[in-house]
């Protein structure tokens, strides 16, 4: 931002080549077909008079005439007719021009001039002047926002580049015009709507109208959009004369909304002056802004709006937009109230809320939900999108006409947080689009204590939105009517184009970051100005009083009425004895979770799914030969491998009516080329087949989608999707498990503590490929230790009931060693009566390991998920003789059994697999430790000692045996990196810890 790079590119018009391309798709080529006179773009800063003819900034105008001429040569001025004829005959652009006669200036003159074409030398000047006007119009459209009066403080923190803005009456010389031209009349290009019903206007009037459209309280940034229809749509919304007129009723409603917004903050300030509330003072027009967007969207048929927002003004939005009962808000300020629900709760400015009500303006039902969010700014963005997508999906709203999202942002966070960018990039992807989000930025020109000039490198905080061609409407938040206008346009834009749009409310923050902060420490000049600033309600009420739109009495009555509402609610809030977190639920689930299964059907489901998994259920589909072989191999399988186990789990759930959504990078094929859930026709581009959607006619749909290369954004999205309904299995797979750390915020802030903070369950599944396979430090570890460390279970207490354990835990962590157990854990996720996040540490080499197979019998009725798989080999014959029991989890089991075979001591060393790490299967571990009373207890893992499971498992094993037996460790030593980069070192380490695991003297020597 310090040195703003307003590059030539930003100022470029839609290029001739672009326009030709888009138009040539719509129009048939005519008259020779060759379009060769249009040159590439050029800088706007070159004076118009110096431009070669028919290129650069004039090209749009010329193009339009050219197309008109192609259709009807008489529709353009004779002079242009000659040029186009010559150009099409192959004459060079410069020579194609022949001077037409002068026009004198008036519209009438134009007609007269038609007769004299081809003869008059002044025609050159005339054409140049018209092109100059075209350039001028375009300059306002591109750069008008640079000089719009956006900042209520007028301190201009936005630092554009050093090049002056060539707009205004005094700058016409820049375009090759002079002041004497101001009274001359010019024909308006078709790329402007300032004329209304007039097609010609005097230059002075043209400039005045452009200033009205682009340089008042609204600054419109849209000329980077490369879609002509969309640009024209925006132009007419802001340029048409008289667009900014409001009825008396609209003005009064606006005033009432301003009163509520302002007086709410004043009320809180009066009652709880020393409480943090992140007040909205300085941006009170946010409330009418949101209400306008909601009204307009409701008018356009939207029935449900999902919103995400940060701290600033949140209580006000809850009160005046979502219509949360005021007494419930006020009682949050009472520190003495006791919490009534399970969970630890959250502070008042993070809580969410859900409400269905009648929209008073449209008289239609509307559901509004504000998602609970953590302190982490912008983290809620993808979650809101996911929830919105899910609601659209469940109500069959394929175009986003009934459900939409609104995201609010702070200026610093919007510019600074990468997840904003990640979320924008989801906006147009088929499986992630929510068909347009309205973004509203509370741009108070400061982030906590930090000045934007050191907080971002872009001129506006909203520049990130340009990446998806979203129009950006900057508006001075001290002009509530302008705010209302842009919000109307934003909602209409979304309803028309189903694309994102940004409203940038340029405002200020009257107090410090929170009500306790002293802003003068860090923003002395800004706050001197703010202290002088009249409140927006005062300004607007004075305006309406002066206009006679409201009487003083009405205005004062409105204020008194709202004060009374607040006082009464406050009185009621004192009667509250208990704080119900449940009252702040943002995503209530309809009905019960799906429970139980038709066991007798399981077999047939498995059989039909197995068939589907190995076939292509559509006609004439050319499958890759290699893939054909793989699918054929599946049919012949006598045992089930990992991919088929997953297929069976999905297929059976789909057949039972559970929607499944699997999302992540390359999940369709599978990173390890094992899954193949989407088949591609080798002959027809983009023809695909998803066999799992062909299981049975009344099955639930299966969505499997490769995602953008984002973890934070996509995991947040899937979490939001899973929030919408308990009756869907929503899975996110990391390409490799270690990539989950770029989504850490979603894991730490939402998945791990979500239920405790916000009393809402979530059954999201994370699939995290993991395993030490000599592939180097990256791609080896999904970091199970981090997930385990965040479990809420007490390692020192032996729990009573396994089911209660599940119910109480904050998430479930498993590392399955067999396809059948993986099959069962996926199914259990839906079949259990409540929802918990499930973290699955998934294998890589086990996907193809000859021993990591399951019998189909292990999936039939009567079988279930095994939290622990005991040793069923020779050790069972004489357990008393067993000298050691090695507990382990995951892939290392196969390395241990191989080593045990090699050593031939499978009757004295038992190996037990802990498949569900959390909640820890204390009861089943106890069965094993009791079974082998003379065995020493070893925990073996392939991960380094300070990683993996050891620190988690050790105290639990000790609790299980009541600390009567020591627990030994066999595994890699502590290390900083998850794995060595050296293959030989990897193998040495492996052999070393296997030696320890089977050396029966290893620990006697230590003790
Ligand atoms: C990801 C993240 N980093 C840091 C913070 C700490 N923090 C809280 S508010 C704030 C400033 C936010 O500024 P802005 O986005 O402009 O919102 P404003 O408070 O001005 O409305 C910061 C840095 C946070 N909440 N989240
Ligand atoms: Mg800010």
């Amino acid at each position: 931002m310090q040195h703003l790079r307003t590059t030539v590119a930003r100022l470029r018009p839609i290029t001739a080549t672009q326009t030709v391309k888009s138009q040539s798709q719509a129009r048939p080529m005519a008259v020779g077909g060759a379009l060769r006179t249009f040159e590439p773009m050029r800088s706007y800063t070159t004076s118009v008079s110096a431009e070669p003819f028919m290129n650069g900034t004039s090209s749009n105008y010329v193009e339009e005439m050219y197309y008109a001429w192609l259709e009807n040569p008489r529709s353009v001025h004779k002079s242009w007719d000659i040029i186009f004829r010559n150009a099409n005959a192959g004459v060079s652009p410069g020579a194609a021009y022949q001077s037409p006669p002068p026009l004198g200036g008036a519209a009438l003159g134009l007609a007269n001039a038609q007769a004299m074409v081809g003869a008059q030398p002044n025609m050159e000047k005339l054409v140049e002047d018209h092109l100059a006007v075209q350039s001028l119009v375009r300059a306002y459209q591109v750069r008008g926002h640079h000089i719009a009066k956006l900042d209520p403080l007028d301190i201009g923190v936005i630092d554009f580049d050093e090049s002056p803005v060539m707009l205004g009456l005094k700058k016409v010389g820049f375009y090759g015009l002079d002041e004497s031209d101001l009274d001359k009349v010019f024909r308006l290009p078709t790329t402007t709507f300032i004329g209304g019903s007039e097609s010609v206007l005097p230059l002075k009037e043209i400039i005045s109208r452009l200033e009205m459209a682009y340089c008042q309280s609204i600054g419109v940034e849209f000329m980077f959009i490369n879609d002509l229809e969309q640009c024209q749509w925006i132009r007419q919304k802001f340029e048409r004369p008289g667009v900014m007129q409001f009825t008396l009723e609209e003005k009064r409603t606006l005033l009432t909304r301003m009163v509520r917004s302002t007086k709410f903050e004043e009320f809180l300030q009066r009652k709880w002056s020393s409480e943090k509330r992140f007040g909205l003072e300085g941006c009170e027009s946010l409330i009418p802004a949101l209400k306008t967007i909601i009204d307009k969207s409701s008018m356009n048929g939207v029935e449900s709006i999902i919103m995400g927002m940060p701290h600033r003004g949140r209580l006000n939005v809850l009160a005046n937009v979502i219509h949360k009962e005021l007494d419930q808000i006020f009682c949050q300020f009472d520190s003495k109230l006791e919490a009534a629900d399970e969970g630890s709760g959250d502070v008042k400015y993070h809580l969410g809320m859900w409400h269905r009500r009648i929209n008073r303006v449209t008289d239609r039902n509307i559901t509004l939900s504000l998602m609970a969010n953590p302190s982490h700014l912008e983290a809620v963005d993808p979650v809101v999108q996911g929830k919105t997508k899910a609601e659209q999906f469940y109500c069959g709203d394929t175009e986003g006409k009934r459900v939409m999202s609104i995201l609010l942002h702070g200026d610093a966070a919007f510019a600074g947080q990468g997840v904003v960018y990640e979320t924008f990039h989801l906006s147009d992807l088929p499986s992630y689009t929510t068909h347009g989000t309205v973004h509203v930025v509370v741009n108070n020109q400061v982030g906590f204590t930090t000045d934007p000039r050191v907080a971002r490198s872009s001129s506006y905080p909203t520049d990130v939105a340009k990446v998806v061609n979203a129009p950006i409407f900057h508006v001075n938040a001290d002009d509530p009517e302008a705010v209302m206008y842009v919000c109307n346009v934003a909602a209409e834009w979304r309803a028309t184009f189903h694309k994102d749009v940004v409203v940038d409310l340029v405002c200020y923050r009257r107090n410090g970051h929170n009500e306790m902060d002293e802003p003068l420490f860090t923003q002395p000049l800004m706050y001197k100005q703010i202290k002088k600033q009249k409140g927006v309600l005062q300004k607007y009420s004075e305006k309406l009083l002066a206009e006679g739109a409201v009487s003083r009495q009405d205005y004062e009555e409105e204020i008194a009425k709202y004060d009374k509402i607040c006082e009464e609610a406050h009185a009621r809030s004192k009667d509250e004895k208990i704080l119900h977190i449940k009252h702040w639920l943002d995503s209530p689930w309809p009905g019960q979770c799906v429970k139980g299964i038709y066991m007798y059907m399981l077999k047939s489901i498995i059989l039909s799914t197995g068939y589907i998994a190995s076939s292509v259920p559509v006609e004439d589909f050319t499958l890759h030969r290699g893939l054909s072989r793989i699918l054929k191999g599946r049919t012949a399988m006598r045992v089930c491998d990992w991919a088929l186990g997953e297929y069976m789990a999905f297929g059976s759930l789909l057949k039972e009516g559970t929607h499944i959504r699997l999302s992540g990078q390359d999940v369709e094929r599978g990173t390890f080329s094992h899954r193949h859930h989407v088949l591609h026709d080798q002959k027809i581009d983009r023809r695909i087949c998803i066999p799992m959607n062909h299981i049975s006619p009344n099955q639930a749909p299966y969505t499997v989608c490769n995602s953008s290369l984002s973890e934070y954004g996509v995991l947040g999205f899937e979490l939001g999707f899973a929030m919408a309904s308990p009756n869907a299995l929503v899975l996110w797979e990391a390409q490799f498990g270690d990539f989950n750390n770029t989504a850490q915020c979603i894991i730490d802030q939402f998945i791990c503590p979500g239920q405790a903070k916000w009393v809402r369950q979530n059954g999201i599944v994370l699939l995290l490929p993991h395993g030490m396979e000599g592939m180097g430090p990256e791609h080896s570890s999904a970091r199970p230790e981090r997930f385990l460390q965040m479990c809420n279970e007490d390692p020192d207490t032996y729990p009573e009931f396994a089911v209660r354990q599940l119910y109480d835990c904050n998430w479930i962590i498993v590392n399955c060693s067999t396809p059948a157990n993986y099959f069962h854990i996926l199914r259990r996720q839906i079949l259990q009566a409540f929802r918990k996040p499930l973290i699955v540490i998934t294998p890589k080499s086990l996907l193809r390991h000859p021993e990591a197979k399951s019998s189909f019998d292990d999936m039939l009725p009567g079988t279930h998920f095994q939290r622990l798989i005991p040793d069923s080999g020779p050790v069972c014959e004489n357990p008393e003789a067993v000298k050691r029991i090695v507990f382990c989890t995951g892939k290392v089991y196969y390395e241990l059994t191989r080593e045990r075979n090699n050593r031939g001591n499978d009757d004295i060393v038992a190996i037990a697999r802990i498949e569900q790490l959390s909640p820890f299967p204390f009861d089943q571990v106890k069965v094993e430790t009791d079974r082998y009373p003379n065995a020493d207890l070893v925990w073996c893992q392939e991960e380094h000692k300070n990683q993996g499971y050891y620190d988690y498992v050790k105290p639990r094993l000790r609790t299980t045996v009541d600390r009567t037996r020591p627990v030994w460790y066999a595994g890699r030593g502590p290390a900083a990196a998850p794995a060595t980069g050296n293959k030989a070192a990897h193998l040495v380490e492996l052999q070393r810890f296997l030696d320890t695991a089977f050396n029966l003297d290893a620990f006697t020597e230590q003790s």
Side-chain angles (χ1 to χ4, degrees):
M1 162 123 172
Q2 273 152 320
H3 292 291
L4 228 213
R5 282 149 265 154
T6 307
T7 57
V8 169
R10 268 203 9 221
L11 302 177
R12 282 169 184 164
I14 298 172
T15 65
T17 42
Q18 282 168 332
T19 320
V20 167
K21 196 170 155 219
S22 65
Q23 296 197 357
S24 63
Q25 282 158 2
R27 295 163 196 259
M29 293 281 270
V31 196
L35 299 170
R36 52 205 155 80
T37 51
F38 304 112
E39 300 213 327
M41 63 183 93
R42 61 194 301 280
S43 162
Y44 218 91
T45 48
T46 313
S47 97
V48 167
S49 55
E51 286 186 358
F53 188 62
M54 276 176 71
N55 77 8
T57 53
S58 57
S59 59
N60 257 5
Y61 179 52
V62 178
E63 261 175 78
E64 276 157 24
M65 273 198 289
Y66 179 71
Y67 285 119
W69 177 80
L70 286 178
E71 274 163 20
N72 175 11
R74 296 174 69 89
S75 66
V76 301
H77 188 268
K78 191 68 190 163
S79 57
W80 287 109
D81 182 25
I82 293 168
I83 293 168
F84 293 143
R85 275 179 207 284
N86 286 340
N88 271 315
V91 180
S92 71
Y97 173 73
Q98 289 176 16
S99 297
L103 291 190
L108 248 186
L110 276 168
N112 293 339
Q114 296 270 353
M116 301 151 68
V117 167
Q120 307 301 323
N122 282 350
M123 197 56 174
E124 189 165 351
K125 164 85 171 110
L126 179 85
V127 172
E128 275 183 3
D129 284 354
H130 274 77
L131 290 179
V133 169
Q134 150 84 10
S135 301
L136 186 72
V137 168
R138 194 173 175 77
Y140 272 96
Q141 293 168 340
V142 175
R143 301 193 83 181
H145 59 91
H146 285 203
I147 56 167
K149 302 169 190 77
L150 300 178
D151 180 7
L153 302 177
D154 203 20
I155 53 176
V157 290
I158 296 190
D159 182 5
F160 295 105
D161 59 13
E162 50 291 335
S163 71
V165 181
M166 293 301 176
L167 299 176
L169 290 174
K170 300 248 175 314
K171 302 282 169 52
V172 290
F174 178 76
Y175 300 89
L177 298 160
D178 56 51
E179 293 195 12
S180 66
D181 292 324
L182 287 173
D183 291 321
K184 277 194 201 153
V185 173
F186 291 86
R187 179 169 290 278
L188 295 167
T190 55
T191 49
T192 186
F193 296 84
I194 51 170
S197 55
E198 292 159 284
S199 55
V200 292
L201 284 177
L203 180 58
K204 204 165 24 174
E205 182 63 15
I206 291 175
I207 292 175
S208 151
R209 291 193 188 186
L210 288 167
E211 303 238 320
M212 278 308 290
Y214 291 113
C215 308
Q216 303 306 307
S217 297
I218 299 171
V220 191
E221 263 193 296
F222 70 107
M223 290 294 279
F224 52 84
I225 297 175
N226 45 24
D227 181 304
L228 194 62
E229 184 199 347
Q230 293 173 7
C231 283
Q232 289 292 71
W233 188 92
I234 292 174
R235 286 174 184 140
Q236 53 117 356
K237 288 288 172 202
F238 290 97
E239 293 181 358
R240 261 190 296 118
V243 282
M244 284 272 288
Q245 277 161 14
F246 303 96
T247 64
L248 212 52
E249 198 188 333
E250 284 171 329
K251 290 183 182 191
R252 286 178 185 158
T253 304
L254 180 54
L255 184 68
T256 305
R257 290 174 172 179
M258 289 301 303
V259 164
R260 294 193 164 215
S261 171
T262 310
K263 296 296 161 183
F264 177 80
E265 297 294 349
E266 282 180 17
F267 186 82
L268 294 185
Q269 180 61 26
R270 249 194 343 265
K271 298 286 179 197
W272 298 280
S273 56
S274 58
E275 274 277 334
K276 270 195 212 169
R277 65 188 150 84
F278 299 103
L280 194 54
E281 292 96 331
C283 194
E284 288 90 342
S285 21
L286 175 68
I287 300 301
L290 292 175
K291 290 178 87 80
T292 305
I293 295 167
I294 293 167
D295 292 347
K296 191 78 185 179
S297 302
S298 165
M299 230 173 267
N300 286 324
V302 169
E303 296 158 11
S304 174
I305 298 182
I306 294 133
M307 293 167 56
M309 73 174 294
H311 50 284
R312 178 81 48 219
R314 198 174 167 101
L315 297 176
N316 208 329
V317 168
L318 281 166
N320 288 314
V321 179
I322 317 273
H323 289 198
K324 173 99 192 145
E325 295 86 340
L326 288 178
D327 40 328
Q328 282 187 25
I329 296 178
F330 296 155
C331 72
Q332 287 281 330
F333 285 89
D334 186 341
S335 54
K336 293 188 285 298
L337 287 189
E338 278 176 32
D341 313 282
E342 295 171 1
S344 43
D346 202 348
V347 293
K348 51 189 165 293
Y349 40 82
H350 289 160
L351 293 171
M353 163 69 190
W354 176 94
H355 194 202
R356 179 174 294 135
R357 65 184 174 87
I358 298 272
N359 180 289
R360 290 208 199 105
V361 175
T362 60
D363 232 5
R364 294 179 182 177
N365 259 322
I366 187 141
T367 303
L368 300 173
S369 54
L370 177 64
M371 305 281 283
N373 63 290
S375 175
H376 293 56
L377 294 165
E378 307 291 347
V380 80
D381 299 0
V383 185
V384 167
Q385 297 304 332
K387 172 132 191 279
T388 307
K389 181 77 184 172
E391 287 206 4
Q392 290 174 348
F393 179 82
Y394 293 125
C395 71
D397 179 18
T398 52
E399 292 170 75
K401 290 188 171 161
R402 294 166 59 193
V403 184
M404 69 175 276
S405 55
I406 300 179
L407 284 177
L408 279 78
H409 314 269
D411 53 325
F414 198 49
Q417 290 292 302
V419 70
V420 173
Y421 180 86
E422 293 187 30
T423 309
F424 268 118
H425 263 293
L426 297 177
S427 69
D428 214 11
L429 305 181
S431 299
Y432 302 85
T433 179
T434 54
H435 308 283
T437 299
V438 181
H439 299 264
V440 181
V441 182
V442 174
N443 179 1
N444 53 20
Q445 313 184 62
V446 64
F448 205 156
T449 67
T450 302
D451 188 306
R453 284 167 296 191
V454 296
R456 62 173 194 257
S457 296
S458 59
S459 46
Y460 290 110
T462 50
D463 283 9
V464 59
K466 292 182 185 173
V467 75
V468 293
N469 273 337
I472 301 161
F473 306 143
H474 307 282
V475 57
N476 186 323
D478 264 12
D479 182 345
E481 289 180 3
V483 169
M484 181 161 81
Y485 187 72
V486 296
C487 288
N488 260 317
V489 177
E492 266 186 63
W493 165 274
R494 196 248 164 217
T496 309
F497 297 108
H498 289 284
K499 286 173 64 84
D500 284 29
V501 53
V502 179
V503 173
D504 177 23
L505 295 176
V506 187
C507 57
Y508 58 93
R509 190 187 68 192
R510 183 166 288 284
N511 303 315
H513 176 58
N514 61 56
E515 289 61 34
M516 309 292 96
D517 264 350
E518 174 49 87
L520 279 167
F521 287 161
T522 51
Q523 268 69 30
L525 299 184
M526 183 189 235
Y527 273 82
K528 268 181 203 136
Q529 181 59 35
I530 289 175
K531 290 223 176 337
K532 287 188 238 153
Q533 194 79 6
K534 221 187 237 186
V536 58
L537 175 63
Q538 191 185 343
K539 280 202 232 173
Y540 190 55
S541 60
E542 283 171 4
K543 176 176 181 287
L544 292 199
L545 287 168
E547 279 176 17
V550 285
S551 69
R552 181 159 295 281
Q553 189 189 348
D554 286 350
Y555 174 54
E556 283 167 2
E557 272 174 19
E558 193 60 49
I559 292 177
K561 188 168 113 195
Y562 189 62
D563 268 341
K564 186 158 170 263
I565 291 172
C566 289
E567 286 295 354
E568 284 172 1
H570 183 229
R572 277 198 308 280
S573 75
K574 289 186 176 156
D575 300 337
E576 286 285 347
K577 298 282 174 288
I578 289 171
L579 207 58
H580 292 278
I581 306 174
K582 277 198 180 117
H583 289 170
W584 297 80
L585 195 53
D586 60 8
S587 308
W589 278 343
Q592 292 283 310
C593 301
V594 173
K595 267 197 259 179
I597 51 163
Y598 306 108
M599 289 301 273
Y600 64 91
M601 280 182 65
L602 187 58
K603 195 165 184 170
S604 85
I605 292 169
I606 287 175
L607 289 176
S608 63
T609 307
Y611 173 71
I612 288 291
S614 57
S615 65
V616 186
V618 289
E619 300 281 305
D620 300 327
F621 198 90
T622 314
L623 200 60
H624 188 276
R625 288 232 301 277
L627 198 48
S628 282
R629 266 198 307 278
I630 293 174
L631 297 189
K632 274 204 192 96
R634 281 183 184 169
T635 331
M637 268 186 204
R638 296 279 166 267
V639 282
C640 175
D641 69 3
W642 208 271
L644 199 51
E646 183 182 83
Y647 223 108
M648 297 291 193
F650 286 9
S652 56
L653 289 169
L654 289 167
K655 195 161 179 190
E656 288 160 3
T658 300
H659 168 55
I660 299 182
R661 180 181 163 96
L662 170 63
S663 146
Q665 291 150 31
D666 306 294
V667 295
E668 295 177 5
R669 187 202 72 171
T671 298
F672 311 101
S673 199
H674 66 295
R675 185 173 282 134
H676 302 295
H677 284 191
V678 178
L679 310 177
H680 293 257
D681 193 312
Q682 297 294 306
K683 291 199 178 141
I684 303 168
D685 183 34
R686 293 199 281 183
R687 183 171 183 229
I688 56 162
C689 168
I690 302 175
M692 228 167 332
N693 274 325
H694 298 258
I695 294 175
S696 85
N698 48 5
Q699 68 168 91
Y702 175 47
T703 308
V704 53
C705 40
N706 287 348
S707 73
S708 71
L709 212 168
S710 143
E711 285 82 24
Y712 193 171
V714 176
L715 178 57
F717 187 97
E718 302 311 334
L719 180 85
F721 199 103
M723 221 170 258
S725 165
N727 300 327
L729 184 67
V730 181
L731 309 98
W732 174 75
E733 183 173 72
Q735 183 115 78
F736 287 96
D738 48 357
F739 293 120
N740 82 66
N741 62 9
T742 58
Q744 200 67 55
C745 176
I746 298 294
I747 295 165
D748 289 354
Q749 263 49 51
F750 289 86
I751 300 179
C752 171
Q755 188 179 349
K757 292 199 290 192
W758 306 317
V759 289
R760 70 179 176 209
Q761 299 183 14
N762 196 303
I764 180 120
V765 180
L766 273 61
L767 303 179
L768 307 177
H770 168 93
M772 309 291 118
E773 292 172 356
M775 285 172 66
E778 263 61 72
H779 302 170
S780 289
S781 177
R783 297 298 199 169
E785 65 275 9
R786 295 204 185 134
F787 292 94
L788 292 169
Q789 189 247 330
M790 288 194 282
C791 292
N792 63 356
E793 181 184 77
D794 184 349
D796 302 325
T797 308
Y798 191 93
E800 279 174 45
F801 305 110
V803 176
R804 179 80 212 180
Q805 245 191 312
L806 262 189
Y807 185 78
D808 288 341
C809 75
N810 58 332
W811 54 17
I812 300 163
I813 302 171
V814 300
N815 186 350
C816 301
S817 63
T818 68
N821 227 19
Y822 179 48
F823 163 89
H824 282 297
I825 191 67
L826 292 176
R827 287 183 53 81
R828 189 185 78 174
Q829 190 63 2
I830 286 297
L831 303 180
Q832 70 196 0
F834 47 83
R835 295 290 171 263
K836 294 284 171 182
L838 171 66
I839 318 298
V840 189
I841 310 292
T842 60
K844 298 177 291 177
S845 61
L846 287 200
L847 300 174
R848 296 189 172 79
H849 195 289
E851 283 161 44
K853 303 265 160 67
S854 296
S855 157
F856 290 106
D857 293 346
D858 292 341
M859 300 174 177
L860 291 179
T863 60
H864 55 81
F865 175 69
Q866 290 180 274
R867 291 178 290 145
L868 180 148
I869 305 181
D871 199 324
S872 54
V875 282
C876 302
E877 284 162 26
N878 186 4
E880 305 243 327
V882 170
K883 301 230 167 56
R884 174 168 296 175
I885 172 164
V886 178
F887 288 98
C888 66
T889 189
K891 161 186 153 268
V892 76
Y893 167 76
Y894 295 97
E895 271 137 8
L896 284 167
T897 48
R898 195 195 56 213
E899 183 68 18
R900 186 172 62 173
N901 272 351
N902 291 345
R903 290 173 180 252
N905 53 4
D906 48 4
D907 51 348
I908 51 168
V909 179
I911 303 175
R913 287 168 271 176
I914 297 182
E915 304 274 304
Q916 177 179 293
L917 290 145
S918 178
F920 193 72
F922 286 94
D923 52 337
Q924 296 187 340
V925 171
K926 183 157 175 16
V927 171
E928 297 309 301
T929 52
D930 288 351
R931 192 199 311 267
Y932 307 108
N934 302 316
D936 52 30
L937 311 179
V938 174
W939 173 256
C940 179
Q941 65 176 32
E942 57 176 352
E943 294 81 2
H944 287 282
K945 192 171 186 178
N946 57 329
Q947 301 165 28
Y949 323 87
Y950 177 55
D951 285 338
Y952 172 87
V953 171
K954 185 178 177 181
R956 287 165 174 81
L957 279 179
R958 297 191 66 215
T959 300
T960 312
V961 293
D962 212 8
R963 294 171 190 80
T964 53
R965 293 154 77 177
V967 176
W968 302 104
Y969 173 76
R972 290 182 163 90
T980 171
N982 180 301
K983 184 91 184 183
H986 164 79
L987 294 172
V988 169
E989 286 170 3
L990 172 64
Q991 194 52 53
R992 198 173 288 153
F993 81 72
L994 290 176
D995 286 345
T996 310
F998 290 101
N999 176 0
L1000 297 177
D1001 298 324
F1003 303 115
T1004 28
E1005 284 161 14
Q1006 285 179 34
S1007 53

